[in-house]
Amino acid sequence: KNQVEQSPQSLIILEGKNCTLQCNYTVSPFSNLRWYKQDTGRGPVSLTIMTFSENTKSNGRYTATLDADTKQSSLHITASQLSDSASYICVVSARGSTLGRLYFGRGTQLTVWP
Amino acid sequence: DTEVTQTPKHLVMGMTNKKSLKCEQHMGHRAMYWYKQKAKKPPELMFVYSYEKLSINESVPSRFSPECPNSSLLNLHLHALQPEDSALYLCASSHPMSDTQYFGPGTRLTVL
């Protein structure tokens, strides 16, 4: 069964600190993995996309890693800011899947305190 | 233009009302999607249109009726909704041969 699991479910950190969010998936055959940021009541915004051959990808203070062998990904946020408070969703797509079929994790709710 | 727009931002309706949600994109994408998202849950796919034709209906109740009048517009017609239909409704678009979906800001729907 194709699944995406994220941990932790929620996380509170102080402004300026770093944090790492985890994503494990069983989606097969794997095509790519995305991390989205979703502010409350808003649509998801793509942060990074990684294919099978990519191990690391950065987007400003966001760095995603992918281990296709263990089917794990992480999102590292450096020097957190108050605006980083949001839900971070791991989304995986399968090769050859039905049009539009994406597998969503439940997200990690990150709260950054001043 | 790399934006998907949705209107209205918020909608409150009674169970006997008829309303419509609208979605628009000008990125030349020929695949468009409707998702329903409950609080603290991931988005759930409802409908997929490809080249203005409905290609996926995830067994959505008939009180939700999608329409794709042209390649840039996607509507979701609502009728006789239930309170449990209250949710954030997200529209997304993509090239049909790509799984990179661009999401709109959503419509927050409340059914009284």
Side-chain angles (χ1 to χ4, degrees), chain B residues 13-15 17 63-64 78-83 85 89 109 111:
Chain B
M13 59 186 291
M15 291 189 285
N17 292 157
R63 57 186 184 269
F64 295 91
L78 315 172
H79 175 54
L81 294 193
Q82 304 296 311
D85 296 322
Y89 287 83
L109 174 67
V111 182

Side-chain angles (χ1 to χ4, degrees), chain A residues 19-110:
Chain A
C19 66
T20 300
L21 314 180
Q22 300 290 344
C23 173
N24 297 335
Y25 62 91
T26 59
V27 177
S28 182
F30 175 82
S31 177
N32 57 62
L33 182 149
R34 291 176 177 78
W35 284 94
Y36 281 90
K37 177 186 179 186
Q38 185 174 22
D39 293 311
T40 302
R42 305 284 294 177
V45 175
S46 179
L47 296 175
T48 64
I49 175 174
M50 302 182 72
T51 58
F52 185 87
S53 60
E54 296 175 299
N55 300 119
T56 304
K57 184 162 283 188
S58 293
N59 177 4
R61 295 180 296 104
Y62 301 104
T63 299
T65 65
L66 175 66
D67 185 334
D69 292 329
T70 61
K71 298 187 178 182
Q72 296 179 327
S73 176
S74 67
L75 180 70
H76 186 74
I77 304 175
T78 305
S80 61
Q81 301 175 357
L82 298 179
S83 59
D84 291 333
S85 295
S87 179
Y88 291 82
I89 306 174
C90 178
V91 182
V92 182
S93 62
R95 233 177 330 111
S97 63
T98 306
L99 175 67
R101 178 71 66 217
L102 301 177
Y103 298 91
F104 289 82
R106 289 179 171 269
T108 292
Q109 183 64 48
L110 175 66

Side-chain angles (χ1 to χ4, degrees), chain B:
Chain B
D1 187 352
T2 59
E3 192 178 53
V4 177
T5 60
Q6 290 187 244
T7 56
K9 288 186 178 180
H10 303 276
L11 178 62
V12 179
M13 59 186 291
M15 291 189 285
T16 58
N17 292 157
K18 284 185 180 181
K19 297 287 184 182
S20 296
L21 309 184
K22 297 186 184 301
C23 173
E24 189 168 3
Q25 57 87 17
H26 295 287
M27 294 180 278
H29 292 167
R30 302 305 296 273
M32 297 185 77
Y33 313 80
W34 279 116
Y35 288 87
K36 173 184 177 181
Q37 187 178 25
K38 303 285 273 186
K40 301 186 189 301
K41 296 287 180 64
E44 297 175 7
L45 185 65
M46 299 174 71
F47 301 104
V48 180
Y49 273 83
S50 177
Y51 293 94
E52 295 89 68
K53 292 191 186 322
L54 183 64
S55 61
I56 295 176
N57 176 344
E58 291 285 14
S59 302
V60 179
S62 60
R63 57 186 184 269
F64 295 91
S65 175
E67 178 196 20
C68 190
N70 61 56
S71 60
S72 299
L73 294 175
L74 184 66
N75 299 321
L76 186 63
H77 303 298
L78 315 172
H79 175 54
L81 294 193
Q82 304 296 311
E84 58 265 30
D85 296 322
S86 298
L88 180 69
Y89 287 83
L90 295 166
C91 173
S93 71
S94 72
H95 288 291
M97 300 309 295
S98 167
D99 51 19
T100 299
Q101 293 184 23
Y102 296 82
F103 286 86
T107 293
R108 171 69 62 188
L109 174 67
T110 302
V111 182
L112 301 177

